[in-house]
Amino acid sequence: MPFYHKLGKIPHKRHTVFRKPDGSLYYEQLFGTIGFDGMSSNLYHEHRPTQVKEVKGSYSVKPKIAAENNIKSYRFKGFQVKPNPDYLESRKVVLTNSDVDITLASPQGSTDDYFYKNSDSDELLFIHKGTGKLRTHLGNLDFKYGDYLLIPRGTIYKIDFDDEDNRLFIVESRRPIYTPKRYRNWFGQLLEHSPFCERDLRQPYELETNDEKGDFLIKVKKQGEIFDMVYATHPFDVVGYDGYNYPYAFSIHDFEPITGRIHQPPPVHQTFETDAFVVCSFCPRKYDYHPESIPAPYSHSNIDSDEVLYYVDGDFMSRNDIEAGHISLHPAGIPHGPHPGAVERSIGQVETEELAVMVDTFKPLMLTEDAMEIADETYHKSWLDENH
Ligand SMILES: [Fe+2]
């Protein structure tokens, strides 16, 4: 997160004596990334955050690969992923490579009896359906339909849903996820041409501080395994922190689309970046206003990136037979473009209600067994003219 946040109580000077009302010390922790070079926050705990009681064991959550080397375009019917009462078990990786997991989830319940920490990846949760509260050791965030929740690696969290009807599109990134650098000045402030600004980014507002001892289970994800670790003190025991490394929320409905007289390329929709992939938000907007413009996109060859579109809501003008919750995969190496009739249909249209999230990866994506269960195996032929 490129700007400073402070929550709770902290001492005047870092790395100095900071005492509780009874005279004993609070315990400081630097919570940082990329060695000591990336974003960091300075936390103050009721107890030392290092008190491991037991490592109960581990189990693999590595996705099972069905197709390692893929050249076919695919459509996946995301809402066919079955709901599951457990948050972690509900998460089904559908596309993966060494940089990123693209995951669908329909959790019916909250993380009632455990805390969760992903030590490998930043997690970007897109809330397609559901409301609730993300609770973390760095404070809480309320969420609802359309929210992106950016959870930096190492954040200990629980997620509470208000009811059982939830649909999430999750991007797990081994590389840190940032807002695009080109939208920031050299101090890090978002510039006037950015499609969103700091005011749109919601910071944790509520800190839960539990001064409790006992047995606290944290499920820690590391290198594709979940380790069941039991800690002796409550993981949410921070009395205050400040810094730049914390979870935040951004609503896709607060993204202000950039439009033009002629068709604008996908980078104008960019919302997040890493050095391995980008995330774009396609939002309701006015179409191109040149009198001869063709609002539908032209065919294009993403020669060296795989393109994943997750359809959220509205009418997807360039595609036939696409519904909310579907994912299209257009792999590197072959061109793709509007479906038959879509270009003609688009001429004269003045606006679109489409809402979609796009992930473009620079390395090819592998398809998992969970993906094949919801795959449309005929999609790659859907560009053929009817008489073929
Ligand atoms: Fe494309």
Side-chain angles (χ1 to χ4, degrees), residues 147-167:
D147 280 343
Y148 290 104
L149 299 174
L150 196 294
I151 308 170
R153 66 204 55 207
T155 304
I156 303 169
Y157 76 83
K158 290 172 89 71
I159 189 163
D160 291 350
F161 297 101
D162 293 336
D163 60 42
E164 293 190 350
D165 188 17
N166 307 293
R167 291 276 171 189

Side-chain angles (χ1 to χ4, degrees), residues 63-67 70 74-78 80-81 91-96 102-104 327 329 365-377:
K64 295 190 176 71
I65 305 302
N70 172 58
Y74 269 97
R75 175 174 63 152
F76 304 104
K77 297 176 177 177
Q80 287 185 0
V81 166
R91 295 161 53 128
K92 305 293 179 198
V93 178
V94 288
L95 300 165
T96 184
I102 295 173
T103 297
L104 293 167
I327 291 177
L329 168 67
L365 289 160
M366 297 179 282
L367 282 61
T368 68
E369 290 180 4
D370 283 324
M372 300 320 290
E373 284 187 16
I374 56 168
D376 170 3
E377 288 282 1

Side-chain angles (χ1 to χ4, degrees), residues 266 300 302 307 319 330 336 358:
H300 47 281
N302 37 329
E307 185 184 291
R319 301 260 165 270
H330 300 135
H336 66 276
M358 187 173 81

